[in-house]
Amino acid sequence: MSQTVRTRFAPSPTGHLHIGNARTAILNWIIARHAGGQFILRVEDTDQERSTQESEASILKDLQWLGLDWDEGPDTGGNAGPYRQSERMDLYKSHLDQLIESEKVYPCYCTAEELEERRSEQLAKGEATQYNGHCRNLSYVDKQKYEAEGREPAFRFKADTESVTFEDLIRGAVTVPGDQLGDFIIARAGGMPMYNFACVIDDHLMEITQVVRGDDHVSNTPRQILIYQAFGWTPPQFAHIPMILGPDRQRLSKRHGATSVDQYREQGYLSDALVNFLSLLSWSSESGDEILTRERLISEFNFSRLSKSAAVFDTEKLDWMNGMYIRNLDVAELSRLLFPILKDRGYSIDSAKELEPITGLIQEKIERLSDANEKVAVFFKEDVNLNDPEARDVLSLSTSKQVFQSFLDVTDELSELNRETFMPLMKAVQQSSGIKGKELWMPVRVALTGQLHGPDLAGTVEWFGLEKCRKRVTQALEFSK
Ligand code: GLU
C-alpha cells in the first residue's frame, strides 16, 4: 500500500519569514500538492527566549500571502496536533523517559564552563571537540553527589555507531562517521527538548514522509536518524536543498538587500511571481519554461529535477518575472492592487475603479507595484514643470511655437478631447502647422507632461481632458516665446 505523502514546514518564530525559508515552504507545499498529499505547518517555538507570538503571526500572514495553504497547523488544527511545540511538552517528556529507561540517553551534569574548558584542552591538543563521555558511566553515588551540589542534568544521547548513512533525495548517499557525532544533548536541564529531539518526535508522530529543508540542517540529520533508530522507527526520506547565494556567491544576507517576504511584499512584488521565482531557485521544469503558474509548478514537479548546486538570487530576473506577472493581470485586478499603495502615497484618488484608465497606461511600464508611485505622478500634477533642460530644448525650437499655436486653433472649436478624437486632432495640427513627425509630437508631449518620454499620449490626453490640455499648451506657448 502506498503511503500518503505528508510534508511539513517547521519555522521557528524568531523573526520574519526569510526568503530562504519561504522557498523551503513553497517546495514542501508543491511536493504535497503534486502527490495529492498533505502539507503541515508546525511552529518550532521551544527557544522560549527568542520565540514570539508576533513572529508566529507574521510568518503565518506571509505564508497566506504567498498562497500556501496548509492542511494541518496551529490555526487549523488536525489529527496530529497540537502543532506548536510549546504545547507538546508532555509528548517530549514521555518519549525522553522511554529513552532514559532503555539507557539510550543519560543525564549529564557537566556545566557550560566545564564543557568549555574541556573543549579548549581538546583544541590545544589538536583533538576532535566532541563530548568526551564524562557523564556516560556515572555511578549512582556520583549522580547523588552532583544532585546534592544542586546541579540539574541535561540529557545526552549515546551516539554509539560506526557510521550513519542515508539516501538524500538531492545529494544521493550521505555517510557520516560515528566519531564525528559525539554524544549529543537532546533535552536541556529542566527538560526543554532540543531541536533534534523534538523534530524527530514530531516528524514521526505527524507521519511526515519527506523532510525537505535547507542544507544548513544536513549535519543534524545523522543525529536525528540515530534517534529514530533508538525508538525503532523508520525515518522519513530526506532532501536537503542547497542554500541561496547573493550575486557575490556569499550566503544571501541582509547586506545583499531585502531578505524577508514582507519586504518583498512591501516593495510591490506579486506573490505569484515570488512563488514562481523562488521555486526556480531549486528546481527547473523539464519544458525549460520559466513563467510557470502554480498549477504548472505543481503538476510538473519532479524530485529528479531538484538542483544540487547553490542558487544565486538574481534580483533582475525577479523584477523581469514580476513585470511579466503584472502585465498578465487584468486592469481591474491591477488597479485593486495599486489603489491602496497610491492612496497611501497621498494621491487623490477615491477608488480602484477610478484608477483604471491610468493603470492601463502604466501597466507595461512597471516591474514592481511600487514603481507606480513615480509613474503616475504625471497624471496628478496640477502644473507641469517646463524647466527641465531637455524640456526647454524642445520648447525653444522654432517649430514648437507653431505646433502649439495650431494646437490651440484646432482645439478652439472642439468640445471633447479623448482617445478617439486625439489622432484626427493631431492630423489637423500637422496640416495647419506644416510640421510632422518628432517635431510635431515631442513638443505636444512636453507641453502636456513636462517629460520627453512617458505613457501613451492619447490615453494621457483623455485622462487630462480638453480644458487641462489647452491650459498646458497655452503655458508652453508662453514659455516658448
Ligand atoms: N525550526 C527549524 C528551522 O527553522 C526547522 C528545521 C527542519 O525543517 O527540520 O530551521
Side-chain angles (χ1 to χ4, degrees):
M1 197 184 76
S2 69
Q3 221 179 345
T4 307
V5 166
R6 283 170 64 85
T7 62
R8 66 8 174 227
F9 176 56
S12 303
T14 55
H16 291 293
L17 180 61
H18 186 271
I19 208 80
N21 288 337
R23 181 201 40 172
T24 303
I26 291 166
L27 261 189
N28 277 288
W29 176 77
I30 289 176
I31 293 165
R33 296 289 169 258
H34 174 81
Q38 284 122 29
F39 174 56
I40 288 116
L41 177 64
R42 179 172 79 227
V43 174
E44 302 208 325
D45 58 349
T46 52
D47 184 341
Q48 288 170 310
E49 268 160 37
R50 294 176 58 227
S51 299
T52 65
Q53 278 175 358
E54 292 76 52
S55 293
E56 180 186 312
S58 99
I59 290 171
L60 262 64
K61 178 179 160 198
D62 288 346
L63 292 170
Q64 270 153 356
W65 177 74
L66 286 170
L68 310 183
D69 53 330
W70 46 94
D71 304 290
E72 297 166 33
D75 53 343
T76 40
N79 290 336
Y83 295 89
R84 231 176 247 114
Q85 288 190 329
S86 58
E87 293 165 15
R88 299 171 64 80
M89 288 303 156
D90 49 346
L91 286 166
Y92 307 132
K93 167 96 178 66
S94 62
H95 284 87
L96 178 64
D97 288 345
Q98 279 182 43
L99 293 184
I100 297 172
E101 187 79 8
S102 59
E103 296 185 7
K104 303 259 177 20
V105 158
Y106 59 88
C108 171
Y109 294 89
C110 298
T111 62
E113 295 73 34
E114 287 165 350
L115 291 170
E116 190 44 47
E117 203 174 304
R118 240 174 269 146
R119 213 179 111 85
S120 310
E121 280 167 24
Q122 285 168 325
L123 280 173
K125 287 192 221 153
E127 290 173 0
T129 53
Q130 270 81 35
Y131 182 67
N132 71 351
H134 179 272
C135 294
R136 221 184 213 245
N137 299 309
L138 291 183
S139 66
Y140 178 74
V141 177
D142 292 334
K143 288 184 195 165
Q144 289 297 333
K145 195 184 99 208
Y146 282 132
E147 304 262 342
E149 283 174 21
R151 296 194 191 205
E152 204 181 353
F155 291 90
R156 266 186 205 276
F157 186 91
K158 289 183 188 167
D160 287 330
T161 183
E162 280 285 296
S163 65
V164 179
T165 296
F166 65 96
E167 194 62 30
D168 189 287
L169 291 166
I170 298 175
R171 305 175 152 222
V174 176
T175 299
V176 181
D179 60 11
Q180 280 184 19
L181 299 173
D183 293 353
F184 55 93
I185 292 184
I186 62 167
R188 285 179 220 279
M192 186 55 91
M194 300 291 284
Y195 156 70
N196 275 326
F197 182 59
C199 180
V200 168
I201 305 301
D202 292 347
D203 284 339
H204 175 73
L205 295 179
M206 294 180 182
E207 298 180 22
I208 302 302
T209 52
Q210 272 101 4
V211 168
V212 180
R213 58 188 170 202
D215 66 3
D216 48 332
H217 284 291
V218 76
S219 61
N220 288 316
T221 304
R223 295 190 171 94
Q224 295 185 7
I225 288 175
L226 290 180
I227 300 174
Y228 282 101
Q229 289 170 351
F231 283 109
W233 296 339
T234 308
Q237 288 182 299
F238 293 96
H240 293 93
I241 30 182
M243 63 173 98
I244 304 178
L245 306 177
D248 56 359
R249 302 200 67 84
Q250 301 296 312
R251 194 188 180 92
L252 190 69
S253 70
K254 288 205 174 100
R255 75 196 152 79
H256 293 112
T259 50
S260 62
V261 169
D262 61 332
Q263 289 173 308
Y264 283 89
R265 179 175 53 233
E266 272 155 32
Q267 288 180 15
Y269 292 92
L270 302 181
S271 69
D272 284 345
L274 203 56
V275 165
N276 188 160
F277 175 79
L278 291 174
S279 309
L280 294 187
L281 287 182
S282 356
W283 176 86
S284 59
S285 157
E286 203 167 346
S287 67
D289 293 347
E290 299 228 286
I291 301 289
L292 297 162
T293 58
R294 289 167 196 269
E295 291 70 30
R296 280 191 70 188
L297 289 170
I298 291 168
S299 70
E300 293 173 30
F301 177 79
N302 186 333
F303 268 105
S304 69
R305 297 195 64 84
L306 278 172
S307 165
K308 285 190 181 55
S309 45
V312 173
F313 193 99
D314 178 352
T315 310
E316 266 175 43
K317 182 172 172 184
L318 172 60
D319 287 352
W320 164 78
M321 199 174 261
N322 204 58
M324 296 286 279
Y325 274 88
I326 285 181
R327 285 194 281 290
N328 282 338
L329 291 175
D330 64 42
V331 170
E333 173 64 9
L334 181 54
S335 300
R336 269 197 296 280
L337 294 172
L338 291 178
F339 174 61
I341 297 173
L342 297 174
K343 183 100 191 139
D344 239 34
R345 261 295 170 106
Y347 285 113
S348 83
I349 189 113
D350 293 325
S351 69
K353 186 92 195 126
E354 194 185 317
L355 195 61
E356 284 179 17
I358 295 184
T359 304
L361 293 170
I362 62 163
Q363 183 163 23
E364 295 287 324
K365 301 185 187 288
I366 58 173
E367 288 190 321
R368 303 177 302 177
L369 298 177
S370 53
D371 296 342
N373 282 323
E374 189 203 326
K375 289 277 187 258
V376 303
V378 66
F379 300 103
F380 291 96
K381 277 194 196 121
E382 223 12 79
D383 292 305
V384 283
N385 172 15
L386 300 176
N387 282 316
D388 174 81
E390 283 185 307
R392 290 174 80 135
D393 286 349
V394 173
L395 296 177
S396 60
L397 293 173
S398 61
T399 46
S400 297
K401 208 158 62 171
Q402 276 166 272
V403 168
F404 295 146
Q405 192 54 64
S406 300
F407 186 97
L408 293 173
D409 293 345
V410 174
T411 51
D412 197 26
E413 298 288 292
L414 218 63
S415 59
E416 205 192 342
L417 185 51
N418 57 36
R419 224 176 260 270
E420 283 72 38
T421 55
F422 184 62
M423 268 320 262
L425 160 71
M426 288 301 281
K427 264 244 136 30
V429 175
Q430 179 184 330
Q431 269 161 11
S432 114
S433 65
I435 295 161
K436 57 180 188 201
K438 222 175 139 188
E439 288 176 337
L440 167 71
W441 287 93
M442 214 35 128
V444 173
R445 178 178 284 284
V446 170
L448 295 177
T449 68
Q451 298 170 358
L452 272 69
H453 308 282
D456 167 61
L457 211 46
T460 308
V461 158
E462 182 171 272
W463 170 262
F464 288 152
L466 180 60
E467 200 187 326
K468 191 177 249 180
C469 289
R470 280 181 56 85
K471 187 176 148 217
R472 289 191 174 178
V473 173
T474 308
Q475 276 171 352
L477 180 61
E478 286 302 311
F479 200 89
S480 67
K481 279 182 182 161

PDB file of all heavy atoms in Angstrom, residues 30-57:
ATOM      1  N   ILE A  30       4.475  22.405  -2.756  1.00  0.00           N
ATOM      2  CA  ILE A  30       4.370  21.872  -4.125  1.00  0.00           C
ATOM      3  C   ILE A  30       4.433  20.339  -4.094  1.00  0.00           C
ATOM      4  O   ILE A  30       3.654  19.656  -4.768  1.00  0.00           O
ATOM      5  CB  ILE A  30       5.495  22.447  -5.017  1.00  0.00           C
ATOM      6  CG1 ILE A  30       5.241  23.932  -5.301  1.00  0.00           C
ATOM      7  CG2 ILE A  30       5.610  21.668  -6.334  1.00  0.00           C
ATOM      8  CD1 ILE A  30       6.343  24.629  -6.111  1.00  0.00           C
ATOM      9  N   ILE A  31       5.362  19.814  -3.305  1.00  0.00           N
ATOM     10  CA  ILE A  31       5.536  18.350  -3.262  1.00  0.00           C
ATOM     11  C   ILE A  31       4.256  17.679  -2.759  1.00  0.00           C
ATOM     12  O   ILE A  31       3.787  16.691  -3.327  1.00  0.00           O
ATOM     13  CB  ILE A  31       6.745  17.984  -2.369  1.00  0.00           C
ATOM     14  CG1 ILE A  31       8.038  18.470  -3.031  1.00  0.00           C
ATOM     15  CG2 ILE A  31       6.802  16.478  -2.096  1.00  0.00           C
ATOM     16  CD1 ILE A  31       9.254  18.494  -2.113  1.00  0.00           C
ATOM     17  N   ALA A  32       3.687  18.251  -1.694  1.00  0.00           N
ATOM     18  CA  ALA A  32       2.455  17.662  -1.152  1.00  0.00           C
ATOM     19  C   ALA A  32       1.317  17.759  -2.166  1.00  0.00           C
ATOM     20  O   ALA A  32       0.606  16.779  -2.414  1.00  0.00           O
ATOM     21  CB  ALA A  32       2.067  18.364   0.149  1.00  0.00           C
ATOM     22  N   ARG A  33       1.174  18.927  -2.783  1.00  0.00           N
ATOM     23  CA  ARG A  33       0.063  19.104  -3.739  1.00  0.00           C
ATOM     24  C   ARG A  33       0.267  18.221  -4.975  1.00  0.00           C
ATOM     25  O   ARG A  33      -0.691  17.690  -5.526  1.00  0.00           O
ATOM     26  CB  ARG A  33      -0.060  20.578  -4.144  1.00  0.00           C
ATOM     27  CG  ARG A  33      -0.438  21.505  -2.990  1.00  0.00           C
ATOM     28  CD  ARG A  33      -1.892  21.291  -2.545  1.00  0.00           C
ATOM     29  NE  ARG A  33      -2.181  21.989  -1.290  1.00  0.00           N
ATOM     30  CZ  ARG A  33      -2.256  21.405  -0.093  1.00  0.00           C
ATOM     31  NH1 ARG A  33      -2.120  20.092   0.028  1.00  0.00           N
ATOM     32  NH2 ARG A  33      -2.513  22.104   0.998  1.00  0.00           N
ATOM     33  N   HIS A  34       1.517  18.092  -5.420  1.00  0.00           N
ATOM     34  CA  HIS A  34       1.805  17.252  -6.582  1.00  0.00           C
ATOM     35  C   HIS A  34       1.360  15.813  -6.331  1.00  0.00           C
ATOM     36  O   HIS A  34       0.827  15.146  -7.206  1.00  0.00           O
ATOM     37  CB  HIS A  34       3.308  17.292  -6.883  1.00  0.00           C
ATOM     38  CG  HIS A  34       3.744  16.353  -7.969  1.00  0.00           C
ATOM     39  ND1 HIS A  34       3.615  16.662  -9.305  1.00  0.00           N
ATOM     40  CD2 HIS A  34       4.283  15.107  -7.926  1.00  0.00           C
ATOM     41  CE1 HIS A  34       4.058  15.644 -10.034  1.00  0.00           C
ATOM     42  NE2 HIS A  34       4.476  14.690  -9.219  1.00  0.00           N
ATOM     43  N   ALA A  35       1.604  15.359  -5.098  1.00  0.00           N
ATOM     44  CA  ALA A  35       1.310  13.959  -4.770  1.00  0.00           C
ATOM     45  C   ALA A  35      -0.123  13.767  -4.263  1.00  0.00           C
ATOM     46  O   ALA A  35      -0.510  12.661  -3.908  1.00  0.00           O
ATOM     47  CB  ALA A  35       2.301  13.473  -3.717  1.00  0.00           C
ATOM     48  N   GLY A  36      -0.889  14.848  -4.211  1.00  0.00           N
ATOM     49  CA  GLY A  36      -2.238  14.742  -3.640  1.00  0.00           C
ATOM     50  C   GLY A  36      -2.168  14.426  -2.156  1.00  0.00           C
ATOM     51  O   GLY A  36      -3.075  13.804  -1.592  1.00  0.00           O
ATOM     52  N   GLY A  37      -1.087  14.857  -1.514  1.00  0.00           N
ATOM     53  CA  GLY A  37      -0.901  14.566  -0.098  1.00  0.00           C
ATOM     54  C   GLY A  37      -1.241  15.746   0.777  1.00  0.00           C
ATOM     55  O   GLY A  37      -2.064  16.587   0.417  1.00  0.00           O
ATOM     56  N   GLN A  38      -0.587  15.827   1.938  1.00  0.00           N
ATOM     57  CA  GLN A  38      -0.903  16.894   2.884  1.00  0.00           C
ATOM     58  C   GLN A  38       0.330  17.716   3.236  1.00  0.00           C
ATOM     59  O   GLN A  38       1.429  17.181   3.308  1.00  0.00           O
ATOM     60  CB  GLN A  38      -1.486  16.301   4.175  1.00  0.00           C
ATOM     61  CG  GLN A  38      -2.920  15.844   4.025  1.00  0.00           C
ATOM     62  CD  GLN A  38      -3.095  14.381   4.345  1.00  0.00           C
ATOM     63  OE1 GLN A  38      -2.351  13.827   5.149  1.00  0.00           O
ATOM     64  NE2 GLN A  38      -4.065  13.754   3.707  1.00  0.00           N
ATOM     65  N   PHE A  39       0.074  18.980   3.455  1.00  0.00           N
ATOM     66  CA  PHE A  39       1.138  19.919   3.822  1.00  0.00           C
ATOM     67  C   PHE A  39       0.829  20.417   5.239  1.00  0.00           C
ATOM     68  O   PHE A  39      -0.276  20.891   5.506  1.00  0.00           O
ATOM     69  CB  PHE A  39       1.146  21.073   2.810  1.00  0.00           C
ATOM     70  CG  PHE A  39       2.099  22.183   3.147  1.00  0.00           C
ATOM     71  CD1 PHE A  39       3.455  21.946   3.347  1.00  0.00           C
ATOM     72  CD2 PHE A  39       1.641  23.499   3.247  1.00  0.00           C
ATOM     73  CE1 PHE A  39       4.333  22.987   3.648  1.00  0.00           C
ATOM     74  CE2 PHE A  39       2.505  24.541   3.532  1.00  0.00           C
ATOM     75  CZ  PHE A  39       3.855  24.283   3.739  1.00  0.00           C
ATOM     76  N   ILE A  40       1.807  20.241   6.109  1.00  0.00           N
ATOM     77  CA  ILE A  40       1.578  20.534   7.526  1.00  0.00           C
ATOM     78  C   ILE A  40       2.449  21.703   7.985  1.00  0.00           C
ATOM     79  O   ILE A  40       3.620  21.794   7.617  1.00  0.00           O
ATOM     80  CB  ILE A  40       1.883  19.267   8.368  1.00  0.00           C
ATOM     81  CG1 ILE A  40       0.758  18.246   8.122  1.00  0.00           C
ATOM     82  CG2 ILE A  40       1.969  19.559   9.862  1.00  0.00           C
ATOM     83  CD1 ILE A  40       1.192  17.011   7.484  1.00  0.00           C
ATOM     84  N   LEU A  41       1.862  22.572   8.775  1.00  0.00           N
ATOM     85  CA  LEU A  41       2.628  23.690   9.335  1.00  0.00           C
ATOM     86  C   LEU A  41       2.850  23.435  10.825  1.00  0.00           C
ATOM     87  O   LEU A  41       1.895  23.198  11.576  1.00  0.00           O
ATOM     88  CB  LEU A  41       1.857  24.998   9.143  1.00  0.00           C
ATOM     89  CG  LEU A  41       2.518  26.237   9.743  1.00  0.00           C
ATOM     90  CD1 LEU A  41       3.844  26.543   9.057  1.00  0.00           C
ATOM     91  CD2 LEU A  41       1.584  27.449   9.626  1.00  0.00           C
ATOM     92  N   ARG A  42       4.118  23.438  11.216  1.00  0.00           N
ATOM     93  CA  ARG A  42       4.447  23.187  12.635  1.00  0.00           C
ATOM     94  C   ARG A  42       5.313  24.331  13.145  1.00  0.00           C
ATOM     95  O   ARG A  42       6.318  24.683  12.523  1.00  0.00           O
ATOM     96  CB  ARG A  42       5.209  21.871  12.738  1.00  0.00           C
ATOM     97  CG  ARG A  42       5.611  21.553  14.160  1.00  0.00           C
ATOM     98  CD  ARG A  42       6.185  20.165  14.270  1.00  0.00           C
ATOM     99  NE  ARG A  42       7.556  20.068  13.845  1.00  0.00           N
ATOM    100  CZ  ARG A  42       8.051  19.140  13.026  1.00  0.00           C
ATOM    101  NH1 ARG A  42       7.259  18.221  12.507  1.00  0.00           N
ATOM    102  NH2 ARG A  42       9.320  19.108  12.722  1.00  0.00           N
ATOM    103  N   VAL A  43       4.931  24.895  14.251  1.00  0.00           N
ATOM    104  CA  VAL A  43       5.688  26.027  14.796  1.00  0.00           C
ATOM    105  C   VAL A  43       6.682  25.511  15.832  1.00  0.00           C
ATOM    106  O   VAL A  43       6.296  24.897  16.828  1.00  0.00           O
ATOM    107  CB  VAL A  43       4.726  27.066  15.403  1.00  0.00           C
ATOM    108  CG1 VAL A  43       5.505  28.176  16.097  1.00  0.00           C
ATOM    109  CG2 VAL A  43       3.833  27.647  14.313  1.00  0.00           C
ATOM    110  N   GLU A  44       7.964  25.738  15.571  1.00  0.00           N
ATOM    111  CA  GLU A  44       9.010  25.213  16.455  1.00  0.00           C
ATOM    112  C   GLU A  44       9.457  26.315  17.418  1.00  0.00           C
ATOM    113  O   GLU A  44      10.431  27.025  17.190  1.00  0.00           O
ATOM    114  CB  GLU A  44      10.172  24.664  15.616  1.00  0.00           C
ATOM    115  CG  GLU A  44       9.687  23.566  14.672  1.00  0.00           C
ATOM    116  CD  GLU A  44      10.732  22.536  14.305  1.00  0.00           C
ATOM    117  OE1 GLU A  44      11.911  22.893  14.174  1.00  0.00           O
ATOM    118  OE2 GLU A  44      10.355  21.349  14.144  1.00  0.00           O
ATOM    119  N   ASP A  45       8.699  26.411  18.500  1.00  0.00           N
ATOM    120  CA  ASP A  45       8.906  27.531  19.420  1.00  0.00           C
ATOM    121  C   ASP A  45       9.486  27.094  20.770  1.00  0.00           C
ATOM    122  O   ASP A  45       9.094  27.608  21.816  1.00  0.00           O
ATOM    123  CB  ASP A  45       7.578  28.287  19.627  1.00  0.00           C
ATOM    124  CG  ASP A  45       6.480  27.371  20.162  1.00  0.00           C
ATOM    125  OD1 ASP A  45       6.679  26.139  20.173  1.00  0.00           O
ATOM    126  OD2 ASP A  45       5.419  27.874  20.568  1.00  0.00           O
ATOM    127  N   THR A  46      10.421  26.144  20.729  1.00  0.00           N
ATOM    128  CA  THR A  46      10.987  25.705  22.013  1.00  0.00           C
ATOM    129  C   THR A  46      12.061  26.666  22.520  1.00  0.00           C
ATOM    130  O   THR A  46      12.431  26.610  23.681  1.00  0.00           O
ATOM    131  CB  THR A  46      11.601  24.287  21.915  1.00  0.00           C
ATOM    132  OG1 THR A  46      12.493  24.286  20.814  1.00  0.00           O
ATOM    133  CG2 THR A  46      10.548  23.232  21.744  1.00  0.00           C
ATOM    134  N   ASP A  47      12.560  27.521  21.637  1.00  0.00           N
ATOM    135  CA  ASP A  47      13.508  28.532  22.105  1.00  0.00           C
ATOM    136  C   ASP A  47      12.680  29.672  22.706  1.00  0.00           C
ATOM    137  O   ASP A  47      12.262  30.599  22.019  1.00  0.00           O
ATOM    138  CB  ASP A  47      14.349  29.034  20.911  1.00  0.00           C
ATOM    139  CG  ASP A  47      15.411  30.021  21.348  1.00  0.00           C
ATOM    140  OD1 ASP A  47      15.278  30.585  22.448  1.00  0.00           O
ATOM    141  OD2 ASP A  47      16.378  30.214  20.577  1.00  0.00           O
ATOM    142  N   GLN A  48      12.447  29.534  24.029  1.00  0.00           N
ATOM    143  CA  GLN A  48      11.487  30.447  24.657  1.00  0.00           C
ATOM    144  C   GLN A  48      11.944  31.895  24.650  1.00  0.00           C
ATOM    145  O   GLN A  48      11.129  32.818  24.638  1.00  0.00           O
ATOM    146  CB  GLN A  48      11.226  30.017  26.105  1.00  0.00           C
ATOM    147  CG  GLN A  48      10.390  28.759  26.168  1.00  0.00           C
ATOM    148  CD  GLN A  48      10.342  28.215  27.570  1.00  0.00           C
ATOM    149  OE1 GLN A  48      11.368  28.059  28.224  1.00  0.00           O
ATOM    150  NE2 GLN A  48       9.142  27.925  28.035  1.00  0.00           N
ATOM    151  N   GLU A  49      13.267  32.069  24.683  1.00  0.00           N
ATOM    152  CA  GLU A  49      13.744  33.456  24.732  1.00  0.00           C
ATOM    153  C   GLU A  49      13.552  34.187  23.422  1.00  0.00           C
ATOM    154  O   GLU A  49      13.277  35.385  23.404  1.00  0.00           O
ATOM    155  CB  GLU A  49      15.228  33.488  25.106  1.00  0.00           C
ATOM    156  CG  GLU A  49      15.410  33.629  26.595  1.00  0.00           C
ATOM    157  CD  GLU A  49      16.772  33.199  27.050  1.00  0.00           C
ATOM    158  OE1 GLU A  49      17.750  33.437  26.326  1.00  0.00           O
ATOM    159  OE2 GLU A  49      16.842  32.593  28.144  1.00  0.00           O
ATOM    160  N   ARG A  50      13.714  33.459  22.330  1.00  0.00           N
ATOM    161  CA  ARG A  50      13.682  34.141  21.030  1.00  0.00           C
ATOM    162  C   ARG A  50      12.337  34.033  20.305  1.00  0.00           C
ATOM    163  O   ARG A  50      12.088  34.780  19.371  1.00  0.00           O
ATOM    164  CB  ARG A  50      14.812  33.617  20.143  1.00  0.00           C
ATOM    165  CG  ARG A  50      16.193  33.986  20.715  1.00  0.00           C
ATOM    166  CD  ARG A  50      17.319  33.396  19.908  1.00  0.00           C
ATOM    167  NE  ARG A  50      17.288  33.818  18.527  1.00  0.00           N
ATOM    168  CZ  ARG A  50      17.418  32.995  17.490  1.00  0.00           C
ATOM    169  NH1 ARG A  50      17.614  31.704  17.693  1.00  0.00           N
ATOM    170  NH2 ARG A  50      17.393  33.455  16.264  1.00  0.00           N
ATOM    171  N   SER A  51      11.495  33.088  20.741  1.00  0.00           N
ATOM    172  CA  SER A  51      10.217  32.916  20.038  1.00  0.00           C
ATOM    173  C   SER A  51       9.200  33.949  20.507  1.00  0.00           C
ATOM    174  O   SER A  51       9.090  34.204  21.703  1.00  0.00           O
ATOM    175  CB  SER A  51       9.643  31.525  20.312  1.00  0.00           C
ATOM    176  OG  SER A  51      10.531  30.545  19.849  1.00  0.00           O
ATOM    177  N   THR A  52       8.465  34.515  19.554  1.00  0.00           N
ATOM    178  CA  THR A  52       7.408  35.464  19.944  1.00  0.00           C
ATOM    179  C   THR A  52       6.133  35.177  19.155  1.00  0.00           C
ATOM    180  O   THR A  52       6.180  34.636  18.050  1.00  0.00           O
ATOM    181  CB  THR A  52       7.804  36.935  19.657  1.00  0.00           C
ATOM    182  OG1 THR A  52       7.928  37.093  18.234  1.00  0.00           O
ATOM    183  CG2 THR A  52       9.103  37.325  20.329  1.00  0.00           C
ATOM    184  N   GLN A  53       5.032  35.588  19.773  1.00  0.00           N
ATOM    185  CA  GLN A  53       3.731  35.416  19.096  1.00  0.00           C
ATOM    186  C   GLN A  53       3.637  36.314  17.864  1.00  0.00           C
ATOM    187  O   GLN A  53       3.019  35.965  16.871  1.00  0.00           O
ATOM    188  CB  GLN A  53       2.600  35.756  20.056  1.00  0.00           C
ATOM    189  CG  GLN A  53       2.272  34.589  20.962  1.00  0.00           C
ATOM    190  CD  GLN A  53       1.230  34.936  22.015  1.00  0.00           C
ATOM    191  OE1 GLN A  53       0.771  36.058  22.089  1.00  0.00           O
ATOM    192  NE2 GLN A  53       0.888  33.943  22.816  1.00  0.00           N
ATOM    193  N   GLU A  54       4.294  37.471  17.954  1.00  0.00           N
ATOM    194  CA  GLU A  54       4.253  38.400  16.807  1.00  0.00           C
ATOM    195  C   GLU A  54       4.926  37.744  15.597  1.00  0.00           C
ATOM    196  O   GLU A  54       4.449  37.844  14.480  1.00  0.00           O
ATOM    197  CB  GLU A  54       4.991  39.716  17.107  1.00  0.00           C
ATOM    198  CG  GLU A  54       4.348  40.599  18.155  1.00  0.00           C
ATOM    199  CD  GLU A  54       4.579  40.072  19.559  1.00  0.00           C
ATOM    200  OE1 GLU A  54       5.737  39.814  19.914  1.00  0.00           O
ATOM    201  OE2 GLU A  54       3.590  39.880  20.296  1.00  0.00           O
ATOM    202  N   SER A  55       6.075  37.081  15.872  1.00  0.00           N
ATOM    203  CA  SER A  55       6.771  36.431  14.753  1.00  0.00           C
ATOM    204  C   SER A  55       5.901  35.326  14.165  1.00  0.00           C
ATOM    205  O   SER A  55       5.816  35.185  12.947  1.00  0.00           O
ATOM    206  CB  SER A  55       8.091  35.818  15.219  1.00  0.00           C
ATOM    207  OG  SER A  55       8.980  36.818  15.597  1.00  0.00           O
ATOM    208  N   GLU A  56       5.278  34.553  15.033  1.00  0.00           N
ATOM    209  CA  GLU A  56       4.422  33.478  14.510  1.00  0.00           C
ATOM    210  C   GLU A  56       3.320  34.082  13.641  1.00  0.00           C
ATOM    211  O   GLU A  56       3.075  33.612  12.520  1.00  0.00           O
ATOM    212  CB  GLU A  56       3.803  32.677  15.662  1.00  0.00           C
ATOM    213  CG  GLU A  56       2.907  31.568  15.136  1.00  0.00           C
ATOM    214  CD  GLU A  56       2.143  30.819  16.212  1.00  0.00           C
ATOM    215  OE1 GLU A  56       2.759  30.415  17.214  1.00  0.00           O
ATOM    216  OE2 GLU A  56       0.919  30.618  16.030  1.00  0.00           O
ATOM    217  N   ALA A  57       2.681  35.128  14.142  1.00  0.00           N
ATOM    218  CA  ALA A  57       1.582  35.744  13.385  1.00  0.00           C
ATOM    219  C   ALA A  57       2.097  36.284  12.048  1.00  0.00           C
ATOM    220  O   ALA A  57       1.445  36.130  11.007  1.00  0.00           O
ATOM    221  CB  ALA A  57       0.941  36.865  14.195  1.00  0.00           C
TER     222      ALA A  57
END
